[in-house]
Amino acid sequence: MPDSIISLLNEDGKKQLFSECRRVHFNAGDQLFNQGEEAKSMYLVCKGKVSLFRLMPNGDEKLFKVFMAGELIAEMAMFMNPRVYPMSARVEQDTELFSFDYANTLRIFTCTPEVSVRVMTYMSNRIYHLMDTVNILTQVNANQRLVMRLAEIYRLQQKQDRRVLIPVTKKLLATQLGMTPETLSRSIKKLKTEGFISESGNHIVLLDIPTLCEFVDLTPDIFSLQ
């Protein structure tokens, strides 16, 4: 799946999109937007860090994603009805962003039937991926979720040295897996104790993929790069 909807445009479309955007600066602690606000813009991170979170009924913040340089924020919100931000975004460090306003974004991404079809296909795939994630979170246990996530990262990294670079903090990884940090730590410790994985900095080394998958009752095919 493309990294963002920007990759759906040809070179002329990209030039037009960026010629009409604004480069904006935010300081650490600034709120980029709040959940429920009208979605007036999507943003591309030039440098810095932005956290996407939602306030839960008990008042706690649930962190969903951290956006770094090169990542696009709120692209799906541009095509929602009603057009509102489904979560809040906070700037975690001094950050520069490209800001694309809704009117220009809509015009460029609906300029031809071909581009519109690409956008619909992209959004459909995103929704399918999100639904698949929900199914995983509700139908498999903690160890299986962890191994499936390791397999997903392994495939995306397109490497065969069995070293998986974890691109987020363990706290955020736990949130993405629908578990507490303590549960994640126990799952990692269990797999290490059994001799299936080891840790080296922010890497997890897969020592024995077949027996790891057998232990958590998954097929080794999930690690296939094909």
Side-chain angles (χ1 to χ4, degrees):
M1 188 168 63
D3 292 337
S4 73
I5 58 172
I6 294 178
S7 63
L8 305 179
L9 299 173
N10 59 26
E11 290 306 311
D12 288 339
K14 291 176 184 176
K15 288 179 181 178
Q16 185 178 6
L17 181 69
F18 280 93
S19 70
E20 298 176 358
C21 74
R22 295 182 301 117
R23 188 160 183 148
V24 293
H25 176 86
F26 288 87
N27 297 318
D30 288 346
Q31 199 76 6
L32 184 59
F33 53 77
N34 290 298
Q35 178 181 336
E37 288 182 348
E38 181 183 2
K40 297 181 179 180
S41 302
M42 65 178 185
Y43 301 90
L44 179 66
V45 181
C46 303
K47 62 178 182 179
K49 182 190 296 184
V50 178
S51 294
L52 191 69
F53 66 94
R54 172 172 286 196
L55 285 176
M56 306 308 290
N58 63 359
D60 292 341
E61 289 185 3
K62 187 172 182 65
L63 181 65
F64 279 83
K65 183 175 174 60
V66 176
F67 292 86
M68 308 294 287
E71 295 187 291
L72 191 62
I73 305 171
E75 55 183 346
M76 295 187 74
M78 295 292 93
F79 302 91
M80 291 172 58
N81 185 17
R83 182 167 41 86
V84 297
Y85 294 117
M87 299 185 193
S88 300
R90 180 175 57 240
V91 176
E92 299 298 341
Q93 57 185 232
D94 289 358
T95 295
E96 289 189 5
L97 307 155
F98 284 126
S99 174
F100 307 93
D101 73 74
Y102 166 72
N104 287 333
T105 298
L106 183 65
R107 175 172 51 81
I108 292 170
F109 282 98
T110 58
C111 62
T112 67
E114 291 79 10
V115 174
S116 296
V117 169
R118 286 186 212 137
V119 172
M120 287 190 292
T121 301
Y122 173 78
M123 292 301 177
S124 296
N125 288 338
R126 284 287 301 272
I127 293 170
Y128 175 83
H129 178 73
L130 292 172
M131 291 176 63
D132 194 45
T133 299
V134 171
N135 286 336
I136 290 172
L137 294 179
T138 56
Q139 296 179 15
V140 300
N141 61 45
N143 289 336
Q144 288 174 324
R145 273 178 264 167
L146 172 58
V147 173
M148 292 173 73
R149 179 59 174 151
L150 293 177
E152 180 184 12
I153 299 172
Y154 179 79
R155 294 194 307 270
L156 290 173
Q157 291 175 175
Q158 290 289 307
K159 294 182 179 180
Q160 299 184 17
D161 60 1
R162 301 200 175 188
R163 289 170 60 86
V164 179
L165 173 63
I166 305 301
V168 297
T169 64
K170 285 186 178 178
K171 180 180 178 181
L172 179 53
L173 179 61
T175 296
Q176 293 173 342
L177 295 175
M179 61 179 76
T180 65
E182 294 76 18
T183 300
L184 175 61
S185 294
R186 286 194 295 270
S187 293
I188 292 175
K189 182 178 180 180
K190 177 67 173 176
L191 298 182
K192 288 169 63 177
T193 301
E194 296 291 336
F196 302 132
I197 65 172
S198 65
E199 282 189 283
S200 176
N202 57 348
H203 287 83
I204 287 183
V205 183
L206 305 168
L207 300 176
D208 190 336
I209 290 176
T211 54
L212 167 63
C213 291
E214 182 180 359
F215 179 74
V216 297
D217 197 23
L218 293 171
T219 170
D221 292 345
I222 62 174
F223 284 91
S224 174
L225 298 179
Q226 301 298 322

